[in-house]
Amino acid sequence: MKGKQNGSKMDKGFTLLLSIVIVFCILGAVVFSVARKISKEMSASAIQNLSESLDLMKGTIEAILLKEAEFQKLVAQEISNIGDPMGFVRSYNRNQTMVKTSLILSGEAEGMSNTGDVFTEEALDFSSGKTVDGLPISESYLNYMGTWAYTMKCPVEKDGEEIAVLYMEYVYDSLEKSLPDGFYNGKAMLYIMDAKNERLVLKPKGMGERSAGHLNLKDFYRANNIVEEGLRAEVTECLENGENILFYHDIRGKKSLNYMWSINEGTLYLIGYVAIEAIQQEGRTVNQNILVVVSVMLIAFFLCCMLYYINYRQQDKVRRERELEREVYNKQLSEALQAAQIASNSKTMFLSNMSHDIRTPMNAVLGFTSLLALDAENPVKVREYTKKIMASGQHLLSLINDVLDVSKIESGKVVLNIEAFTLNDLVSSVDAIIRPMAKARNQSFHVGISGIQHEDLMGDETRVNQILINLLSNAVKYTPEGGNIWLRIIGLKQRSSQYEHIRIEVEDDGYGMTQEYLKTIFDAFTRAENSTTNKVQGTGLGMAITKNIVELMGGTIEVTSEVNKGSLFVVEIEFRIPEGQVDRRFWEENGITRILAVDSEEESCANIIELMKETGVCVDTASGVGEAMGRIQEVSSHGQGYDVALLGWELADDGPVRAAEKLREAMPEPAPILFLASCDAEGIEEALKLEHTQILPKPFFVSVFKEKILEMRKGSAGADAELVEKCSLEGMHFLAAEDNEINAEILTEILSVEGASCEIAENGQLVLERFRDAKEGEFDAILMDVQMPVMNGYEATRRIRALERKDSRSILIIAMTANAFAEDEKEALDAGMDVHLSKPIDIELLKTVIKKSLLRKE
């Protein structure tokens, strides 16, 4: 009986094992079949996507050709209405797309180009018979710049009679900006070929690695070992008929899908190939994921069966545990799916925002550029269009900077540059930017400082400035005209004697924000959405960048807001206090032992006392002129007096001027009176007519107070500014490193307008050699680009500084580069450059920097 039971158990075990094996085999067959079907479907879908991508690029290029033809017809129509067609052509400027314009009058064999050269049609081949919007298009050729180009000709008709033929030369390089930056992750190769001469005229960036052998179709065949005569004949037939063709062929040992796509009925062709493994990559990835999931499920199934077979009594417990694990797993999958959907929605929103915000200034740039071409002879409109193009370009640059900044922060590449700075410099630089913005919108900008014990601090001033500019510029943008913006810097109780604990408050009485939006305000790519704020453009990255920088500094940021009442941002950061002692000798040497501060704002007086307490100078305060006169009499009765008086501009008495006159009568004659006032206060000119008076900008800082005392003692107020104003670039000679022809031309023209000359070198090595061979004093300064071939700007600067010449250390070297981050500026200064300017170059800023730097050198 026992043997029968054992046999029965073995039979059951064998049956169970056989069932498991059968289930595994069935599942394997199903998985294999599904995977194979998915692979085929995704390959077919990938090929369809490839065809659609090629059709999209084809449509883009044909649209560009059509626009060029339409533009040429418009120019021809304009020429027909001009009395001097040749003069119009000679004065016609080239652009990035159209580089040469020529005109041949009817009945003549030769004409004239806008380059000043004599022009004939003999060098052009229009025998293909291809046209764009009815205009004949020539065979591709290398132009005088060594760039592949083509020409379209258009008859110029007047009163139904052809009076001339207009020729315009276009370069293929201009097409590249409108093409996508690669597809299939850069694994697809793509060229643009002229169907007539079968030459490869353009290799767009991102479309695979360039091969030196790919110069024409034959070279393409040879480089990729396409030797089958039948296949070549089929390709030739498609080229003659202007048809598309797809064919499989091994390229460099890999099976690839080759394509030749017709453009403009066979005028041009998109040719190239993509490896089959790249096309099938997505299918393989899906299959691998399926196999992984199925394997996990089969393993789980096998374990369950084994546990059931070994210990039947624990089956319930194991089942419940599995169910619980499955619930957790499903919950995690649900959370992961939700996170992926949120990320996808954020990216979609970002792309939507950026598409709109980038197109808006780009449309302005392109639109006004077209108007410039039409109104080139009208200087008033040219200046107006140029101003609007510059404004749109600056707005576009700010969008790009935001995207690059948040990318660097999220990738962890941002490093704080900890250096000594003063609160005065920080507040002054922010005030210089925000106050004009607020004034343009008729807003009031208020700055307040209180409780600060040390104005000299250690930190990354550039990043703190960025935080303040982001918060304050938003306050200006989202506050209606006539509103108020407040910046408050408040000293908090120190947690350590080595650190200054500061609270920064930015408040406005503007539109405000909803409570729902406050939950996502610091997320990237988010913006408040309503009929009012939608008028303000931006990437939605400003607050995300601000929060990341604050947290990088170890600080916190909070916000409160109410719709139609305004917003308040609060930032708390600790800055290290630099080691060193207060310079008390300055006050002793300048005979300042007691000062009188007269201001109706108690907070302002308290701030002055707090900042001056370590200087050894006694500070008395008064809330009005009457109280101040009493203080003066009281001090005089003890045989003492005040050396300086600080007089608040917003006095409630007879006004600051009358108050100063009263104080002057009671105080010693030479004692200075400094008005505590903002830079744009009304009536300052009248106040300065009084003797021994000056303006001390609010808020009060000890460093600015010292500078003002020195200015009044030495009588040098504004001397530097006056010298800078008198300084001129007239007659100066510069050496410039610039590898871009257009940038070099712009720089040369700018300096020429200022009466200066410029010598251009294409890379750092040439700059080094030219300066080394130059006579001492031949160049007044070097304008150095950074990213250049052969030798970059940093290395060139180091080698120039190391030359054994008297002027190698003193020559002014200014960095002019598109690398605009703080670390880029630090690297430029560390290499030995004197000043760092970011591209695009601000003309006035360049002039000011050169003037000030040369003045400082002198």
Side-chain angles (χ1 to χ4, degrees), residues 367-398:
F368 284 114
T369 303
S370 300
L371 292 175
L372 273 177
L374 298 176
D375 296 320
E377 305 301 327
N378 189 333
V380 175
K381 288 191 175 181
V382 167
R383 282 192 293 271
E384 179 183 351
Y385 296 157
T386 304
K387 184 186 297 183
K388 293 179 179 178
I389 290 172
M390 178 64 72
S392 299
Q394 292 294 341
H395 176 56
L396 184 60
L397 183 62
S398 70

PDB file of all heavy atoms in Angstrom, residues 367-398:
ATOM      1  N   GLY A 367      11.415  89.269 -40.038  1.00  0.00           N
ATOM      2  CA  GLY A 367      10.514  90.231 -40.657  1.00  0.00           C
ATOM      3  C   GLY A 367      11.156  91.586 -40.858  1.00  0.00           C
ATOM      4  O   GLY A 367      11.096  92.173 -41.950  1.00  0.00           O
ATOM      5  N   PHE A 368      11.811  92.102 -39.813  1.00  0.00           N
ATOM      6  CA  PHE A 368      12.445  93.413 -39.925  1.00  0.00           C
ATOM      7  C   PHE A 368      13.680  93.355 -40.823  1.00  0.00           C
ATOM      8  O   PHE A 368      14.057  94.362 -41.422  1.00  0.00           O
ATOM      9  CB  PHE A 368      12.798  93.948 -38.541  1.00  0.00           C
ATOM     10  CG  PHE A 368      11.611  94.467 -37.782  1.00  0.00           C
ATOM     11  CD1 PHE A 368      11.178  93.844 -36.628  1.00  0.00           C
ATOM     12  CD2 PHE A 368      10.908  95.568 -38.238  1.00  0.00           C
ATOM     13  CE1 PHE A 368      10.083  94.292 -35.934  1.00  0.00           C
ATOM     14  CE2 PHE A 368       9.807  96.038 -37.548  1.00  0.00           C
ATOM     15  CZ  PHE A 368       9.378  95.397 -36.404  1.00  0.00           C
ATOM     16  N   THR A 369      14.322  92.181 -40.907  1.00  0.00           N
ATOM     17  CA  THR A 369      15.442  92.047 -41.851  1.00  0.00           C
ATOM     18  C   THR A 369      14.950  92.188 -43.282  1.00  0.00           C
ATOM     19  O   THR A 369      15.583  92.837 -44.120  1.00  0.00           O
ATOM     20  CB  THR A 369      16.140  90.686 -41.649  1.00  0.00           C
ATOM     21  OG1 THR A 369      16.578  90.576 -40.299  1.00  0.00           O
ATOM     22  CG2 THR A 369      17.338  90.570 -42.582  1.00  0.00           C
ATOM     23  N   SER A 370      13.795  91.573 -43.572  1.00  0.00           N
ATOM     24  CA  SER A 370      13.203  91.721 -44.905  1.00  0.00           C
ATOM     25  C   SER A 370      12.836  93.177 -45.177  1.00  0.00           C
ATOM     26  O   SER A 370      13.054  93.694 -46.276  1.00  0.00           O
ATOM     27  CB  SER A 370      11.962  90.842 -45.023  1.00  0.00           C
ATOM     28  OG  SER A 370      12.282  89.498 -44.830  1.00  0.00           O
ATOM     29  N   LEU A 371      12.296  93.858 -44.158  1.00  0.00           N
ATOM     30  CA  LEU A 371      11.954  95.271 -44.329  1.00  0.00           C
ATOM     31  C   LEU A 371      13.198  96.122 -44.530  1.00  0.00           C
ATOM     32  O   LEU A 371      13.169  97.115 -45.263  1.00  0.00           O
ATOM     33  CB  LEU A 371      11.181  95.772 -43.103  1.00  0.00           C
ATOM     34  CG  LEU A 371       9.772  95.182 -42.915  1.00  0.00           C
ATOM     35  CD1 LEU A 371       9.167  95.665 -41.612  1.00  0.00           C
ATOM     36  CD2 LEU A 371       8.877  95.558 -44.093  1.00  0.00           C
ATOM     37  N   LEU A 372      14.316  95.732 -43.889  1.00  0.00           N
ATOM     38  CA  LEU A 372      15.572  96.454 -44.089  1.00  0.00           C
ATOM     39  C   LEU A 372      15.988  96.416 -45.558  1.00  0.00           C
ATOM     40  O   LEU A 372      16.468  97.412 -46.114  1.00  0.00           O
ATOM     41  CB  LEU A 372      16.683  95.839 -43.231  1.00  0.00           C
ATOM     42  CG  LEU A 372      16.829  96.357 -41.793  1.00  0.00           C
ATOM     43  CD1 LEU A 372      17.927  95.587 -41.081  1.00  0.00           C
ATOM     44  CD2 LEU A 372      17.151  97.841 -41.781  1.00  0.00           C
ATOM     45  N   ALA A 373      15.821  95.221 -46.154  1.00  0.00           N
ATOM     46  CA  ALA A 373      16.193  95.093 -47.562  1.00  0.00           C
ATOM     47  C   ALA A 373      15.328  95.991 -48.453  1.00  0.00           C
ATOM     48  O   ALA A 373      15.800  96.544 -49.443  1.00  0.00           O
ATOM     49  CB  ALA A 373      16.070  93.633 -48.005  1.00  0.00           C
ATOM     50  N   LEU A 374      14.052  96.146 -48.076  1.00  0.00           N
ATOM     51  CA  LEU A 374      13.153  96.962 -48.886  1.00  0.00           C
ATOM     52  C   LEU A 374      13.352  98.457 -48.643  1.00  0.00           C
ATOM     53  O   LEU A 374      13.170  99.271 -49.550  1.00  0.00           O
ATOM     54  CB  LEU A 374      11.704  96.578 -48.582  1.00  0.00           C
ATOM     55  CG  LEU A 374      11.300  95.124 -48.906  1.00  0.00           C
ATOM     56  CD1 LEU A 374       9.877  94.854 -48.469  1.00  0.00           C
ATOM     57  CD2 LEU A 374      11.461  94.849 -50.392  1.00  0.00           C
ATOM     58  N   ASP A 375      13.689  98.829 -47.396  1.00  0.00           N
ATOM     59  CA  ASP A 375      13.834 100.246 -47.035  1.00  0.00           C
ATOM     60  C   ASP A 375      15.280 100.619 -46.763  1.00  0.00           C
ATOM     61  O   ASP A 375      15.573 101.431 -45.889  1.00  0.00           O
ATOM     62  CB  ASP A 375      12.983 100.553 -45.801  1.00  0.00           C
ATOM     63  CG  ASP A 375      11.504 100.379 -46.069  1.00  0.00           C
ATOM     64  OD1 ASP A 375      11.077 100.764 -47.169  1.00  0.00           O
ATOM     65  OD2 ASP A 375      10.797  99.875 -45.194  1.00  0.00           O
ATOM     66  N   ALA A 376      16.204 100.011 -47.503  1.00  0.00           N
ATOM     67  CA  ALA A 376      17.638 100.238 -47.243  1.00  0.00           C
ATOM     68  C   ALA A 376      18.038 101.685 -47.477  1.00  0.00           C
ATOM     69  O   ALA A 376      19.024 102.163 -46.904  1.00  0.00           O
ATOM     70  CB  ALA A 376      18.475  99.322 -48.132  1.00  0.00           C
ATOM     71  N   GLU A 377      17.286 102.393 -48.286  1.00  0.00           N
ATOM     72  CA  GLU A 377      17.646 103.776 -48.602  1.00  0.00           C
ATOM     73  C   GLU A 377      17.022 104.787 -47.635  1.00  0.00           C
ATOM     74  O   GLU A 377      17.236 105.978 -47.757  1.00  0.00           O
ATOM     75  CB  GLU A 377      17.189 104.095 -50.039  1.00  0.00           C
ATOM     76  CG  GLU A 377      17.728 103.140 -51.101  1.00  0.00           C
ATOM     77  CD  GLU A 377      19.241 103.146 -51.122  1.00  0.00           C
ATOM     78  OE1 GLU A 377      19.842 104.204 -50.858  1.00  0.00           O
ATOM     79  OE2 GLU A 377      19.826 102.079 -51.394  1.00  0.00           O
ATOM     80  N   ASN A 378      16.232 104.297 -46.696  1.00  0.00           N
ATOM     81  CA  ASN A 378      15.559 105.194 -45.738  1.00  0.00           C
ATOM     82  C   ASN A 378      16.251 105.080 -44.387  1.00  0.00           C
ATOM     83  O   ASN A 378      16.016 104.127 -43.642  1.00  0.00           O
ATOM     84  CB  ASN A 378      14.085 104.792 -45.611  1.00  0.00           C
ATOM     85  CG  ASN A 378      13.293 105.818 -44.794  1.00  0.00           C
ATOM     86  OD1 ASN A 378      13.847 106.514 -43.947  1.00  0.00           O
ATOM     87  ND2 ASN A 378      12.007 105.888 -45.056  1.00  0.00           N
ATOM     88  N   PRO A 379      17.144 106.019 -44.011  1.00  0.00           N
ATOM     89  CA  PRO A 379      17.919 105.885 -42.772  1.00  0.00           C
ATOM     90  C   PRO A 379      17.056 105.873 -41.522  1.00  0.00           C
ATOM     91  O   PRO A 379      17.387 105.210 -40.548  1.00  0.00           O
ATOM     92  CB  PRO A 379      18.850 107.108 -42.804  1.00  0.00           C
ATOM     93  CG  PRO A 379      18.197 108.084 -43.738  1.00  0.00           C
ATOM     94  CD  PRO A 379      17.472 107.257 -44.752  1.00  0.00           C
ATOM     95  N   VAL A 380      15.929 106.589 -41.526  1.00  0.00           N
ATOM     96  CA  VAL A 380      15.063 106.624 -40.344  1.00  0.00           C
ATOM     97  C   VAL A 380      14.486 105.238 -40.080  1.00  0.00           C
ATOM     98  O   VAL A 380      14.528 104.722 -38.958  1.00  0.00           O
ATOM     99  CB  VAL A 380      13.929 107.642 -40.535  1.00  0.00           C
ATOM    100  CG1 VAL A 380      12.962 107.587 -39.351  1.00  0.00           C
ATOM    101  CG2 VAL A 380      14.501 109.044 -40.698  1.00  0.00           C
ATOM    102  N   LYS A 381      13.970 104.606 -41.134  1.00  0.00           N
ATOM    103  CA  LYS A 381      13.401 103.276 -40.961  1.00  0.00           C
ATOM    104  C   LYS A 381      14.482 102.243 -40.674  1.00  0.00           C
ATOM    105  O   LYS A 381      14.263 101.307 -39.911  1.00  0.00           O
ATOM    106  CB  LYS A 381      12.621 102.877 -42.221  1.00  0.00           C
ATOM    107  CG  LYS A 381      11.321 103.650 -42.383  1.00  0.00           C
ATOM    108  CD  LYS A 381      10.466 103.052 -43.474  1.00  0.00           C
ATOM    109  CE  LYS A 381       9.107 103.755 -43.556  1.00  0.00           C
ATOM    110  NZ  LYS A 381       8.240 103.165 -44.597  1.00  0.00           N
ATOM    111  N   VAL A 382      15.661 102.400 -41.281  1.00  0.00           N
ATOM    112  CA  VAL A 382      16.768 101.473 -41.017  1.00  0.00           C
ATOM    113  C   VAL A 382      17.127 101.489 -39.542  1.00  0.00           C
ATOM    114  O   VAL A 382      17.316 100.453 -38.906  1.00  0.00           O
ATOM    115  CB  VAL A 382      17.999 101.825 -41.881  1.00  0.00           C
ATOM    116  CG1 VAL A 382      19.233 101.082 -41.384  1.00  0.00           C
ATOM    117  CG2 VAL A 382      17.734 101.465 -43.330  1.00  0.00           C
ATOM    118  N   ARG A 383      17.229 102.702 -38.941  1.00  0.00           N
ATOM    119  CA  ARG A 383      17.540 102.784 -37.510  1.00  0.00           C
ATOM    120  C   ARG A 383      16.433 102.172 -36.662  1.00  0.00           C
ATOM    121  O   ARG A 383      16.690 101.470 -35.677  1.00  0.00           O
ATOM    122  CB  ARG A 383      17.752 104.249 -37.116  1.00  0.00           C
ATOM    123  CG  ARG A 383      19.118 104.788 -37.516  1.00  0.00           C
ATOM    124  CD  ARG A 383      19.393 106.121 -36.850  1.00  0.00           C
ATOM    125  NE  ARG A 383      18.506 107.174 -37.319  1.00  0.00           N
ATOM    126  CZ  ARG A 383      18.769 107.956 -38.384  1.00  0.00           C
ATOM    127  NH1 ARG A 383      19.901 107.797 -39.049  1.00  0.00           N
ATOM    128  NH2 ARG A 383      17.924 108.898 -38.741  1.00  0.00           N
ATOM    129  N   GLU A 384      15.183 102.400 -37.064  1.00  0.00           N
ATOM    130  CA  GLU A 384      14.058 101.845 -36.303  1.00  0.00           C
ATOM    131  C   GLU A 384      14.058 100.324 -36.384  1.00  0.00           C
ATOM    132  O   GLU A 384      13.914  99.635 -35.377  1.00  0.00           O
ATOM    133  CB  GLU A 384      12.760 102.402 -36.867  1.00  0.00           C
ATOM    134  CG  GLU A 384      11.519 101.858 -36.149  1.00  0.00           C
ATOM    135  CD  GLU A 384      10.229 102.369 -36.787  1.00  0.00           C
ATOM    136  OE1 GLU A 384      10.329 103.268 -37.659  1.00  0.00           O
ATOM    137  OE2 GLU A 384       9.164 101.867 -36.415  1.00  0.00           O
ATOM    138  N   TYR A 385      14.248  99.790 -37.610  1.00  0.00           N
ATOM    139  CA  TYR A 385      14.259  98.334 -37.761  1.00  0.00           C
ATOM    140  C   TYR A 385      15.436  97.717 -37.010  1.00  0.00           C
ATOM    141  O   TYR A 385      15.313  96.661 -36.383  1.00  0.00           O
ATOM    142  CB  TYR A 385      14.354  97.952 -39.250  1.00  0.00           C
ATOM    143  CG  TYR A 385      13.169  98.390 -40.075  1.00  0.00           C
ATOM    144  CD1 TYR A 385      13.280  98.571 -41.461  1.00  0.00           C
ATOM    145  CD2 TYR A 385      11.927  98.653 -39.488  1.00  0.00           C
ATOM    146  CE1 TYR A 385      12.197  98.990 -42.222  1.00  0.00           C
ATOM    147  CE2 TYR A 385      10.847  99.066 -40.250  1.00  0.00           C
ATOM    148  CZ  TYR A 385      10.992  99.234 -41.604  1.00  0.00           C
ATOM    149  OH  TYR A 385       9.926  99.632 -42.357  1.00  0.00           O
ATOM    150  N   THR A 386      16.611  98.370 -37.074  1.00  0.00           N
ATOM    151  CA  THR A 386      17.798  97.836 -36.401  1.00  0.00           C
ATOM    152  C   THR A 386      17.578  97.765 -34.898  1.00  0.00           C
ATOM    153  O   THR A 386      17.957  96.777 -34.250  1.00  0.00           O
ATOM    154  CB  THR A 386      19.023  98.722 -36.704  1.00  0.00           C
ATOM    155  OG1 THR A 386      19.196  98.826 -38.117  1.00  0.00           O
ATOM    156  CG2 THR A 386      20.275  98.120 -36.089  1.00  0.00           C
ATOM    157  N   LYS A 387      16.952  98.798 -34.321  1.00  0.00           N
ATOM    158  CA  LYS A 387      16.684  98.809 -32.880  1.00  0.00           C
ATOM    159  C   LYS A 387      15.764  97.650 -32.497  1.00  0.00           C
ATOM    160  O   LYS A 387      15.984  96.962 -31.495  1.00  0.00           O
ATOM    161  CB  LYS A 387      16.052 100.133 -32.495  1.00  0.00           C
ATOM    162  CG  LYS A 387      15.814 100.291 -30.971  1.00  0.00           C
ATOM    163  CD  LYS A 387      15.052 101.574 -30.664  1.00  0.00           C
ATOM    164  CE  LYS A 387      15.840 102.800 -31.082  1.00  0.00           C
ATOM    165  NZ  LYS A 387      15.132 104.057 -30.716  1.00  0.00           N
ATOM    166  N   LYS A 388      14.749  97.389 -33.323  1.00  0.00           N
ATOM    167  CA  LYS A 388      13.806  96.310 -33.019  1.00  0.00           C
ATOM    168  C   LYS A 388      14.458  94.940 -33.207  1.00  0.00           C
ATOM    169  O   LYS A 388      14.174  94.002 -32.457  1.00  0.00           O
ATOM    170  CB  LYS A 388      12.559  96.444 -33.891  1.00  0.00           C
ATOM    171  CG  LYS A 388      11.742  97.689 -33.540  1.00  0.00           C
ATOM    172  CD  LYS A 388      10.520  97.840 -34.424  1.00  0.00           C
ATOM    173  CE  LYS A 388       9.710  99.079 -34.029  1.00  0.00           C
ATOM    174  NZ  LYS A 388       8.538  99.289 -34.899  1.00  0.00           N
ATOM    175  N   ILE A 389      15.325  94.816 -34.206  1.00  0.00           N
ATOM    176  CA  ILE A 389      16.051  93.561 -34.399  1.00  0.00           C
ATOM    177  C   ILE A 389      16.959  93.296 -33.205  1.00  0.00           C
ATOM    178  O   ILE A 389      17.054  92.172 -32.696  1.00  0.00           O
ATOM    179  CB  ILE A 389      16.866  93.600 -35.709  1.00  0.00           C
ATOM    180  CG1 ILE A 389      15.922  93.562 -36.923  1.00  0.00           C
ATOM    181  CG2 ILE A 389      17.853  92.436 -35.779  1.00  0.00           C
ATOM    182  CD1 ILE A 389      16.609  93.782 -38.245  1.00  0.00           C
ATOM    183  N   MET A 390      17.641  94.333 -32.713  1.00  0.00           N
ATOM    184  CA  MET A 390      18.523  94.183 -31.555  1.00  0.00           C
ATOM    185  C   MET A 390      17.723  93.757 -30.325  1.00  0.00           C
ATOM    186  O   MET A 390      18.136  92.857 -29.588  1.00  0.00           O
ATOM    187  CB  MET A 390      19.238  95.514 -31.273  1.00  0.00           C
ATOM    188  CG  MET A 390      20.152  95.485 -30.050  1.00  0.00           C
ATOM    189  SD  MET A 390      21.553  94.344 -30.232  1.00  0.00           S
ATOM    190  CE  MET A 390      22.528  95.277 -31.421  1.00  0.00           C
ATOM    191  N   ALA A 391      16.564  94.363 -30.085  1.00  0.00           N
ATOM    192  CA  ALA A 391      15.739  94.009 -28.923  1.00  0.00           C
ATOM    193  C   ALA A 391      15.266  92.559 -29.011  1.00  0.00           C
ATOM    194  O   ALA A 391      15.308  91.816 -28.029  1.00  0.00           O
ATOM    195  CB  ALA A 391      14.542  94.950 -28.822  1.00  0.00           C
ATOM    196  N   SER A 392      14.844  92.135 -30.200  1.00  0.00           N
ATOM    197  CA  SER A 392      14.396  90.758 -30.371  1.00  0.00           C
ATOM    198  C   SER A 392      15.554  89.786 -30.195  1.00  0.00           C
ATOM    199  O   SER A 392      15.394  88.716 -29.601  1.00  0.00           O
ATOM    200  CB  SER A 392      13.767  90.579 -31.765  1.00  0.00           C
ATOM    201  OG  SER A 392      12.646  91.413 -31.920  1.00  0.00           O
ATOM    202  N   GLY A 393      16.726  90.144 -30.700  1.00  0.00           N
ATOM    203  CA  GLY A 393      17.897  89.290 -30.534  1.00  0.00           C
ATOM    204  C   GLY A 393      18.292  89.144 -29.077  1.00  0.00           C
ATOM    205  O   GLY A 393      18.648  88.050 -28.621  1.00  0.00           O
ATOM    206  N   GLN A 394      18.237  90.234 -28.307  1.00  0.00           N
ATOM    207  CA  GLN A 394      18.557  90.165 -26.879  1.00  0.00           C
ATOM    208  C   GLN A 394      17.558  89.281 -26.146  1.00  0.00           C
ATOM    209  O   GLN A 394      17.921  88.514 -25.252  1.00  0.00           O
ATOM    210  CB  GLN A 394      18.559  91.574 -26.274  1.00  0.00           C
ATOM    211  CG  GLN A 394      19.687  92.475 -26.754  1.00  0.00           C
ATOM    212  CD  GLN A 394      21.062  91.979 -26.304  1.00  0.00           C
ATOM    213  OE1 GLN A 394      21.169  91.195 -25.378  1.00  0.00           O
ATOM    214  NE2 GLN A 394      22.098  92.451 -26.966  1.00  0.00           N
ATOM    215  N   HIS A 395      16.275  89.381 -26.509  1.00  0.00           N
ATOM    216  CA  HIS A 395      15.265  88.536 -25.877  1.00  0.00           C
ATOM    217  C   HIS A 395      15.524  87.065 -26.202  1.00  0.00           C
ATOM    218  O   HIS A 395      15.457  86.197 -25.311  1.00  0.00           O
ATOM    219  CB  HIS A 395      13.878  88.950 -26.358  1.00  0.00           C
ATOM    220  CG  HIS A 395      12.782  88.062 -25.837  1.00  0.00           C
ATOM    221  ND1 HIS A 395      12.581  87.832 -24.498  1.00  0.00           N
ATOM    222  CD2 HIS A 395      11.831  87.348 -26.483  1.00  0.00           C
ATOM    223  CE1 HIS A 395      11.551  87.020 -24.340  1.00  0.00           C
ATOM    224  NE2 HIS A 395      11.083  86.704 -25.529  1.00  0.00           N
ATOM    225  N   LEU A 396      15.844  86.778 -27.453  1.00  0.00           N
ATOM    226  CA  LEU A 396      16.155  85.401 -27.850  1.00  0.00           C
ATOM    227  C   LEU A 396      17.377  84.890 -27.103  1.00  0.00           C
ATOM    228  O   LEU A 396      17.421  83.738 -26.656  1.00  0.00           O
ATOM    229  CB  LEU A 396      16.391  85.347 -29.368  1.00  0.00           C
ATOM    230  CG  LEU A 396      16.647  83.967 -29.981  1.00  0.00           C
ATOM    231  CD1 LEU A 396      15.467  83.045 -29.730  1.00  0.00           C
ATOM    232  CD2 LEU A 396      16.907  84.100 -31.471  1.00  0.00           C
ATOM    233  N   LEU A 397      18.392  85.731 -26.924  1.00  0.00           N
ATOM    234  CA  LEU A 397      19.600  85.332 -26.198  1.00  0.00           C
ATOM    235  C   LEU A 397      19.272  85.009 -24.738  1.00  0.00           C
ATOM    236  O   LEU A 397      19.820  84.069 -24.163  1.00  0.00           O
ATOM    237  CB  LEU A 397      20.643  86.449 -26.272  1.00  0.00           C
ATOM    238  CG  LEU A 397      21.999  86.169 -25.629  1.00  0.00           C
ATOM    239  CD1 LEU A 397      22.682  84.989 -26.309  1.00  0.00           C
ATOM    240  CD2 LEU A 397      22.881  87.391 -25.703  1.00  0.00           C
ATOM    241  N   SER A 398      18.365  85.778 -24.115  1.00  0.00           N
ATOM    242  CA  SER A 398      18.011  85.510 -22.719  1.00  0.00           C
ATOM    243  C   SER A 398      17.307  84.155 -22.596  1.00  0.00           C
ATOM    244  O   SER A 398      17.515  83.430 -21.620  1.00  0.00           O
ATOM    245  CB  SER A 398      17.115  86.625 -22.180  1.00  0.00           C
ATOM    246  OG  SER A 398      15.832  86.587 -22.780  1.00  0.00           O
TER     247      SER A 398
END
